[in-house]
Amino acid sequence: MSQRKGTAMVDEQPLPPLVARMWGREPPTRRGPQPSLNLERITAAAIAVADAEGLSGVSMSNVAARLGVAPMSLYRYVGSKDELLAVMVESAFENPPRLDGRSWRDYLTVWTRANRDALLARPWMLPIAHLAPPIGPRSLRWLDRALAALAHTPLTEGEKVNAATTLSGYAFFQANLISGLSVGANQRERARLTSVQEYGTTLAELLDSADYPALAHAVDSGVFSASQDWVEDADFLFGLNLLLDGIAALIARRSVDDEQPNETSPRSDAP
Amino acid sequence: MSQRKGTAMVDEQPLPPLVARMWGREPPTRRGPQPSLNLERITAAAIAVADAEGLSGVSMSNVAARLGVAPMSLYRYVGSKDELLAVMVESAFENPPRLDGRSWRDYLTVWTRANRDALLARPWMLPIAHLAPPIGPRSLRWLDRALAALAHTPLTEGEKVNAATTLSGYAFFQANLISGLSVGANQRERARLTSVQEYGTTLAELLDSADYPALAHAVDSGVFSASQDWVEDADFLFGLNLLLDGIAALIARRSVDDEQPNETSPRSDAP
DNA sequence: TTCATACAGTATAGAACATACACTAATATA
DNA sequence: TATATTAGTGTATGTTCTATACTGTATGAA
């Protein structure tokens, strides 16, 4: 099944054209004029537009204009606007943080926060990051580093992949949460609830405590009254540590019944 | 701060018009013709269109047509198309599962899976569910039930809310993952990697094991070669149990040092 | 009973957009 | 040199959201 080993292969599958271009695997040009464009320049221009004008500013015309080129040129390199958006997300990420001999737990904390921060730095990615399995060079490097951090744990490869994937989903989720307490839409008529407090008072106004007993109780207890340090984000660490604690527990379990990888080990079920 | 207590209030804030309409808090009509529309019918029509033709079929014209009405009518009830999309997501959810005396852990398992399944049943929600804090009656009921499941644990209200929110984010994440191994776009030029195997072989083809040592090792070990029971989803339970184990650990910690809620309790940090 | 006012839905039109298709010009191979 | 192949262009079409001005209707006040 998994025939691999690196660099040179027998040339296997068609490989979707976009993926090929993302990896620089294009057949060298044979005839015709010298290309003045390439996927990289196009992507960079599109990202620049998104950074400057937001996602709604990203139109084929706009991107083309920034390159001094006719809109239709872009379609030589990108099958559709949606493809362009996908590549933008892929290449808007920096490289992942370095491992530097940190413990798996420390590194994954850094990794997840960096992941979240990358999304927050370019919030236009949030609506278009489709959380598909990573396929580009950058996102795969992120995955690789997370796996590397877990390399010397007794987890199976599958468990490592699952753990990394889950953490990346958590980063995405947190970025969304922070990015906007917006209820309506993307930018225009954004019925924005600008603060946690405002969210709390709105809830208080709406909730009938008969229909929402537990939630009303939570609101009463002041959960949504602006805890002091939203800045140094306790909420982010809370969920992250849930996950890391879960991973730690799994590692501990694996370390005990080491020889017999039992698929359904006992789990605590405290009240 | 949190002035509340249910039903009758002193009438507080403007309350965003869309939110008001979602909760049926509109001033009763005084003059003019009888309305033939309302937000509910519009939303239902829009959902029907989305179910039938996918998200791209949802245009104002299309929705209006299904109601036998001119497109511009909708703007009496919805400030923009994006608002309509937001309301669609809100009201496409069923009510949450019943608690029925289950343990917090059992219930949250059911709850999270139901949440995921609701998203998978109407995958058009995935690109437009913005993971904002819930504000509609349905999504708040979901939150309420999760809090109820945790009611008799020693967690603080804030921790309960965080836990519920994180689980809901996990459900969303998993739904995205399952919904499509698509790399390109939404429907047209979808350079779809149709299976886990295909994903695996594509990775094998692309990866240089020098640049991606840990990931290449994972691929070599056959992680992406279609584990037997993707159907009865072990992957979903994996990440879910990470979270639930983390919650269990937190509960255990809280139960021990009960009197002194110490913000930074010790955590395990196994190698 | 009359009339002004407020409101529901409509008609029209405009601007922006993605993209299909046919084309021109440039380059490398035969 | 002739020919095939390719990069980028111009034009055009259909769709989309939505601003604005409008028509008719029901109500409350005079």
Side-chain angles (χ1 to χ4, degrees):
Chain A
M1 303 303 140
S2 168
Q3 5 134 241
R4 67 169 312 285
K5 202 82 255 170
T7 321
M9 262 333 282
V10 209
D11 145 307
E12 305 177 347
Q13 231 120 307
L15 202 59
L18 183 67
V19 176
R21 258 189 293 256
M22 282 198 300
W23 287 82
R25 297 278 186 87
E26 306 187 70
T29 296
R30 307 222 178 279
R31 296 250 250 273
Q34 299 295 331
S36 66
L37 291 175
N38 55 54
L39 186 58
E40 210 182 325
R41 284 191 59 209
I42 294 175
T43 308
I47 289 176
V49 172
D51 285 342
E53 310 176 38
L55 186 57
S56 68
V58 179
S59 68
M60 299 308 262
S61 318
N62 252 335
V63 175
R66 184 171 284 252
L67 291 162
V69 138
M72 287 306 292
S73 328
L74 310 183
Y75 286 95
R76 288 259 162 219
Y77 300 86
V78 169
S80 68
K81 184 185 178 182
D82 283 324
E83 276 195 14
L84 175 56
L85 295 177
V87 187
M88 286 170 67
V89 172
E90 161 71 25
S91 91
F93 270 84
E94 307 284 335
N95 277 325
R98 297 191 177 283
L99 193 40
D100 284 340
R102 271 179 280 225
S103 74
W104 67 264
R105 183 159 189 144
D106 283 348
Y107 180 73
L108 290 184
T109 302
V110 170
W111 183 92
T112 308
R113 176 177 269 121
N115 196 335
R116 181 203 62 173
D117 289 343
L119 290 166
L120 288 176
R122 304 185 189 269
W124 49 261
M125 287 198 277
L126 296 174
I128 59 181
H130 279 187
L131 288 189
I135 196 62
R138 277 278 176 41
S139 32
L140 286 178
R141 223 187 308 273
W142 279 79
L143 177 55
D144 180 76
R145 292 308 178 270
L147 296 179
L150 292 168
H152 301 304
T153 64
L155 299 187
T156 69
E157 292 304 307
E159 287 168 339
K160 290 176 197 166
V161 170
N162 270 332
T165 309
T166 303
L167 286 171
S168 140
Y170 181 72
F172 176 80
F173 161 70
Q174 278 290 321
N176 267 286
L177 220 51
I178 295 176
S179 156
L181 296 164
S182 75
V183 56
N186 30 13
Q187 51 254 56
R188 192 175 306 251
E189 171 81 32
R190 99 175 320 174
R192 187 176 256 268
L193 305 173
T194 34
S195 68
V196 182
Q197 290 101 317
E198 190 176 343
Y199 182 61
T201 57
T202 303
L203 283 192
E205 193 169 340
L206 289 172
L207 291 180
D208 176 357
S209 32
D211 281 347
Y212 302 84
L215 182 53
H217 178 246
V219 173
D220 274 343
S221 77
V223 193
F224 301 108
S225 305
S227 65
Q228 58 284 24
D229 52 27
W230 167 256
V231 183
E232 192 48 53
D233 44 10
D235 285 352
F236 171 74
L237 289 175
F238 177 84
L240 175 61
N241 280 321
L242 289 188
L243 286 167
L244 295 178
D245 285 350
I247 295 174
L250 182 60
I251 288 177
R253 241 177 293 142
R254 281 276 175 285
S255 301
V256 169
D257 46 44
D258 217 347
E259 67 289 7
Q260 191 82 355
N262 193 354
E263 192 56 30
T264 52
S265 314
R267 296 181 182 282
S268 67
D269 205 320
Chain B
M1 310 298 145
S2 166
Q3 4 137 242
R4 66 169 313 286
K5 203 78 250 174
T7 320
M9 262 333 284
V10 210
D11 143 308
E12 306 176 347
Q13 232 120 306
L15 203 61
L18 183 66
V19 176
R21 257 188 294 255
M22 282 197 301
W23 287 83
R25 297 277 185 86
E26 306 188 70
T29 298
R30 307 224 177 278
R31 294 251 250 276
Q34 298 295 331
S36 65
L37 292 175
N38 55 54
L39 185 59
E40 210 181 324
R41 284 191 58 211
I42 293 176
T43 308
I47 290 176
V49 172
D51 285 342
E53 311 175 37
L55 187 57
S56 68
V58 179
S59 69
M60 300 305 264
S61 318
N62 252 336
V63 175
R66 185 171 284 253
L67 291 163
V69 140
M72 288 306 291
S73 328
L74 310 183
Y75 286 94
R76 288 262 159 214
Y77 300 87
V78 170
S80 68
K81 184 186 178 181
D82 283 326
E83 276 195 15
L84 175 57
L85 295 177
V87 187
M88 286 170 66
V89 172
E90 161 72 25
S91 92
F93 270 84
E94 308 284 336
N95 277 326
R98 297 192 177 283
L99 192 40
D100 284 339
R102 271 179 280 224
S103 74
W104 67 264
R105 182 158 190 144
D106 284 349
Y107 180 74
L108 289 185
T109 302
V110 170
W111 183 91
T112 308
R113 175 176 270 121
N115 196 335
R116 180 203 63 172
D117 289 343
L119 290 167
L120 286 176
R122 303 185 190 268
W124 49 261
M125 286 199 277
L126 295 175
I128 60 181
H130 279 188
L131 289 191
I135 196 62
R138 276 279 174 42
S139 32
L140 286 177
R141 224 187 307 273
W142 279 79
L143 176 55
D144 180 76
R145 292 309 178 269
L147 296 179
L150 292 168
H152 301 304
T153 65
L155 299 187
T156 69
E157 293 302 308
E159 287 167 339
K160 290 175 196 165
V161 170
N162 270 332
T165 308
T166 302
L167 285 172
S168 140
Y170 181 72
F172 176 81
F173 161 69
Q174 278 289 322
N176 267 285
L177 222 50
I178 294 175
S179 156
L181 295 165
S182 76
V183 56
N186 31 13
Q187 51 254 56
R188 192 175 308 249
E189 171 83 28
R190 96 176 322 172
R192 187 176 257 268
L193 305 174
T194 35
S195 69
V196 181
Q197 289 103 316
E198 191 176 344
Y199 182 62
T201 57
T202 303
L203 284 192
E205 193 169 340
L206 289 173
L207 291 181
D208 175 357
S209 33
D211 281 348
Y212 302 84
L215 181 54
H217 178 246
V219 173
D220 274 343
S221 77
V223 193
F224 301 109
S225 305
S227 65
Q228 59 285 23
D229 53 26
W230 166 254
V231 184
E232 192 49 54
D233 42 11
D235 285 353
F236 171 73
L237 289 175
F238 177 83
L240 175 61
N241 279 321
L242 288 188
L243 286 167
L244 294 178
D245 284 351
I247 296 175
L250 182 60
I251 289 177
R253 242 178 290 142
R254 283 274 176 287
S255 300
V256 169
D257 46 44
D258 216 348
E259 67 287 9
Q260 193 81 354
N262 194 355
E263 192 57 31
T264 51
S265 315
R267 295 180 183 283
S268 68
D269 206 320

